[in-house]
Amino acid sequence: MPCCSLLLFLIALCSFARCNILLVESVLCTHSTLIAHVVVRDLVFDRCMCCYANLVEIWLASFRLQVHEKLDMAPLTRIGLAGLAVMGQNLALNIAEKGFPISVYNRTTLKVDETVERAKQEGDLPLYGFHDPESFVKSIQKPRVIIILVKAGAPVDQTIKTLSVYMEKGDCIIDGGNEWYENTERREKALAELGLLYLGMGVSGGEDGARHGPSLMPGGSFEAYKHIEDILLKVAAQVPDSGPCVTYIGKGGSGNFVKMVHNGIEYGDMQLIAEAYDVLKSVGKLTNEDLCQVFSEWNKGELLSFLIEITADIFGIKDDKGEGYLVDKVLDKTGMKGTGKWTVQQAAELSVAAPTIASSLDGRFLSGLKEERVEAAKVFKSSGIRDMLADQVVDKEKLIHDVRQALYASKICSYAQGMNLIRAKSAEKGWDLKLGQLTRIWKGGCIIRAVFLDRIKKAYDRNPNLPNLLVDPEFAKEIIERQSAWRRVVSIAINSGISTPGMSSSLAYFDTYRRSRLPANLVQAQRDYFGAHTYERIDIDGSFHTEWFKIAKQSKI
């Protein structure tokens, strides 16, 4: 860089309100001799290098003072966001677009520059990028609010450690990732000791939702929530009949827990839709064009939802790298990030039956065994067992009707299991969660948004203590109306050798729950036989133990 150009560059940098003072000083130190030469030449000095050095020190001190004055005068932003992967970038742009000036930071500086450029291209939005954590934190108005969107676990702890050094008492950190709820509670407690506030906030809706309006589930410090409530109310998805898709969830890790169960329900939903697809394609022989039309039609009625909508879209997209449709070229191996597994683990911990969600997790595990399944298919095919056990002649229209009914009835069971899990955890932790409010904020922005969520909300509004969605009068009526079709679909799938674990387990859940008497009496008798675990009787109060082995032995003599 020519000497005069360098000097002009530094003078311009001095006038830039949000420059990085550490970076500026680095540039100055690197080029100090060059700058000295420029200044000395322009002032027609002819001194020794020692004099040059003194002049440079004076110039540097003056420059630093000007930069710090500029920084002090610069308007501060309303909020900050650290972590600029796709979700982070889109949420930051959403916040800026809603009129809230935002500072952004990322450990990889290229992401910062990329986000700043996007802000310019998408409407010259009030978004400002920083390459170091100190200037990032100090650019935000007090009390500072910083959202972090990084990978769950250790990266969250590291980001908190990096930023909290420059934060002050009363400032707030919000983790917007899919974090384990106990980590949120641990961090909230640790940061409280430093005088900092903490929220764990579930964010649902994917990258499109983050940019245009997600469903937000903040839990933790209520004081922290009030610091950011005005922003969240505008950034969240807006549903005309029920408002912004955000509410304060509750204390501790409740926000992360609710988001975790939301994802578990999402697992169940996706598995059920995949099974409907398999039955229609394998038994009904529907083409992708047929499937696109069927799912598009379903999306106009009781199944209206984001997942049904995108499923119809998927069936209509042709392969741009070859012949046919893209969905047929996608490897049948489903990935996961852990929230579904956490949901099933929590269901087991709390003794809450969640078979639909659990079967969806098992389905993903089995899909991952692609190589084993290919070899297994060869083994059984050589023994005469094909993929399809029998080609059945079916009435396509009747099959489409039945699968629609089975899918809807199974979805009710999946949501019932998820809501019962949330209720159980709320009772254990004393969170006092309002199930109706949770379904309200899931009506827009999130992956499981669906028209029937409004009906679930009304069910809990009618009876906040509703033990199970299945016994709400409206849902009970719908289950009864659909059970015959539901059973036909499961039966035809079994007879065809098609696995429908989601629909089958949902039906079993319904049949188990609706029966007043189960064969569990035999299981308990077995437990008492081999382990003296005792049992209760239906006719006499108390706990009993029987010497089953002795009685049985005597009867055999």
Side-chain angles (χ1 to χ4, degrees):
M1 179 184 292
C3 297
C4 56
S5 297
L6 177 63
L7 185 58
L8 290 173
F9 165 73
L10 292 170
I11 292 170
L13 193 58
C14 177
S15 66
F16 182 53
R18 287 191 171 83
C19 64
N20 185 331
I21 183 62
L22 299 178
L23 179 62
V24 170
E25 291 183 353
S26 174
V27 171
L28 291 175
C29 292
T30 302
H31 299 283
S32 57
T33 303
L34 194 58
I35 295 166
H37 179 72
V38 172
V39 174
V40 170
R41 186 191 64 189
D42 288 352
L43 296 178
V44 200
F45 277 133
D46 184 15
R47 303 290 180 93
C48 65
M49 286 301 295
C50 182
C51 183
Y52 284 10
N54 290 336
L55 183 58
V56 168
E57 286 302 320
I58 295 171
W59 195 88
L60 282 171
S62 174
F63 187 87
R64 290 189 183 100
L65 179 61
Q66 290 180 62
V67 170
H68 280 293
E69 286 175 349
K70 288 289 185 182
L71 287 172
D72 291 339
M73 294 169 58
L76 300 174
T77 60
R78 173 67 176 82
I79 188 172
L81 189 146
L84 297 173
V86 176
M87 284 288 288
Q89 285 191 27
N90 283 357
L91 186 60
L93 292 165
N94 184 358
I95 291 170
E97 190 173 60
K98 298 302 187 296
F100 300 99
I102 183 170
S103 300
V104 297
Y105 165 74
N106 194 80
R107 189 167 55 87
T108 305
T109 58
L110 183 63
K111 290 290 185 182
V112 177
D113 300 337
E114 181 182 302
T115 308
V116 170
E117 183 59 31
R118 282 190 63 188
K120 291 177 182 178
Q121 293 176 356
E122 296 182 27
D124 199 21
L125 303 176
L127 181 147
Y128 307 94
F130 295 85
H131 288 176
D132 77 282
E134 181 178 10
S135 57
F136 164 67
V137 172
K138 291 183 177 179
S139 71
I140 305 164
Q141 71 180 44
K142 300 178 184 179
R144 301 180 181 93
V145 177
I146 298 176
I147 298 173
I148 57 177
L149 272 168
V150 298
K151 187 178 179 180
V156 176
D157 290 314
Q158 183 57 53
T159 304
I160 290 172
K161 182 179 179 180
T162 298
L163 299 178
S164 62
V165 172
Y166 307 106
M167 299 179 77
E168 301 174 20
K169 185 176 180 180
D171 289 350
C172 170
I173 293 176
I174 301 170
D175 175 19
N178 281 329
E179 186 56 271
W180 174 239
Y181 81 98
E182 289 182 336
N183 284 342
T184 294
E185 295 184 337
R186 168 179 59 80
R187 290 169 186 142
E188 182 183 11
K189 183 177 179 181
L191 289 175
E193 295 176 358
L194 300 176
L196 300 178
L197 305 176
Y198 193 76
L199 279 175
M201 182 173 70
V203 180
S204 178
E207 57 185 80
D208 184 70
R211 181 64 183 85
H212 301 291
S215 174
L216 301 170
M217 294 154 259
S221 165
F222 184 69
E223 183 182 354
Y225 173 73
K226 297 306 289 185
H227 285 339
I228 195 176
E229 183 180 31
D230 59 328
I231 296 177
L232 299 185
L233 289 173
K234 289 190 176 182
V235 167
Q238 308 293 315
V239 177
D241 61 341
S242 57
C245 292
V246 60
T247 189
Y248 174 69
I249 301 297
K251 297 178 291 184
S254 59
N256 289 123
F257 190 89
V258 167
K259 175 55 165 57
M260 177 197 76
V261 177
H262 161 286
N263 286 16
I265 294 172
E266 178 185 310
Y267 272 50
D269 242 350
M270 295 171 74
Q271 176 66 28
L272 293 170
I273 291 171
E275 292 173 16
Y277 154 62
D278 197 7
V279 172
L280 291 176
K281 180 180 180 180
S282 300
V283 178
K285 309 301 181 186
L286 272 67
T287 65
N288 287 319
E289 295 94 328
D290 296 333
L291 290 165
C292 180
Q293 184 177 349
V294 166
F295 276 83
S296 295
E297 184 62 31
W298 287 0
N299 200 45
K300 298 174 183 176
E302 75 283 0
L303 288 171
L304 171 64
S305 64
F306 173 72
L307 285 172
I308 293 292
E309 177 187 352
I310 67 169
T311 300
D313 290 344
I314 288 169
F315 289 129
I317 295 176
K318 293 190 176 182
D319 184 10
D320 62 350
K321 294 179 175 61
E323 297 296 322
Y325 287 83
L326 182 56
V327 67
D328 297 324
K329 308 293 178 62
V330 176
L331 182 67
D332 54 323
K333 188 174 180 179
T334 308
M336 66 186 99
K337 291 188 175 179
T339 47
K341 185 187 295 184
W342 291 344
T343 302
V344 174
Q345 288 172 337
Q346 279 295 292
E349 287 285 334
L350 295 165
S351 300
V352 173
T356 310
I357 299 171
S359 67
S360 70
L361 186 64
D362 289 339
R364 296 195 183 199
F365 291 156
L366 286 166
S367 79
L369 304 176
K370 175 64 175 179
E371 293 77 13
E372 286 186 39
R373 290 188 290 109
V374 169
E375 293 305 313
K378 294 177 183 176
V379 170
F380 290 108
K381 187 176 182 180
S382 66
S383 301
I385 300 178
R386 300 172 298 158
D387 278 359
M388 288 283 293
L389 294 183
D391 283 329
Q392 304 182 48
V393 178
V394 296
D395 181 330
K396 283 190 179 183
E397 290 304 317
K398 182 175 176 56
L399 181 65
I400 292 169
H401 170 271
D402 284 356
V403 172
R404 178 175 185 165
Q405 308 309 309
L407 177 56
Y408 184 74
S410 299
K411 278 169 62 74
I412 294 173
C413 292
S414 183
Y415 280 77
Q417 294 160 28
M419 301 313 289
N420 284 354
L421 178 54
I422 292 173
R423 185 209 310 279
K425 195 65 179 184
S426 177
E428 180 192 72
K429 302 288 287 187
W431 287 338
D432 192 29
L433 303 184
K434 309 300 182 187
L435 300 185
Q437 277 299 303
L438 300 185
T439 56
R440 180 191 70 78
I441 66 171
W442 289 346
K443 287 173 62 179
C446 71
I447 303 302
I448 65 171
R449 60 183 181 268
V451 68
F452 95 132
L453 280 166
D454 189 53
R455 302 183 53 227
I456 296 178
K457 178 184 182 300
K458 289 177 181 177
Y460 285 113
D461 286 346
R462 285 191 295 270
N463 181 7
N465 298 315
L466 185 68
N468 194 303
L469 276 178
L470 298 183
V471 296
D472 172 75
E474 287 194 15
F475 283 113
K477 179 174 180 291
E478 291 190 323
I479 287 279
I480 293 168
E481 291 172 348
R482 288 166 170 78
Q483 68 158 333
S484 295
W486 195 3
R487 297 181 194 283
R488 284 195 296 269
V489 170
V490 171
S491 296
I492 199 171
I494 291 172
N495 290 332
S496 300
I498 295 173
S499 173
T500 54
M503 289 187 182
S504 300
S505 61
S506 296
L507 180 57
Y509 177 79
F510 166 67
D511 280 337
T512 302
Y513 188 72
R514 69 174 177 78
R515 296 181 64 195
S516 62
R517 179 80 172 166
L518 297 172
N521 55 317
L522 176 58
V523 176
Q524 191 59 26
Q526 291 171 331
R527 295 182 73 243
D528 189 52
Y529 189 118
F530 64 71
H533 292 293
T534 74
Y535 58 90
E536 296 176 274
R537 295 175 59 100
I538 61 174
D539 55 349
I540 306 172
D541 290 338
S543 180
F544 300 87
H545 169 61
T546 295
E547 296 290 342
W548 303 89
F549 178 75
K550 290 182 180 179
I551 296 172
K553 186 177 182 180
Q554 290 173 359
S555 68
K556 295 175 183 177
I557 296 174

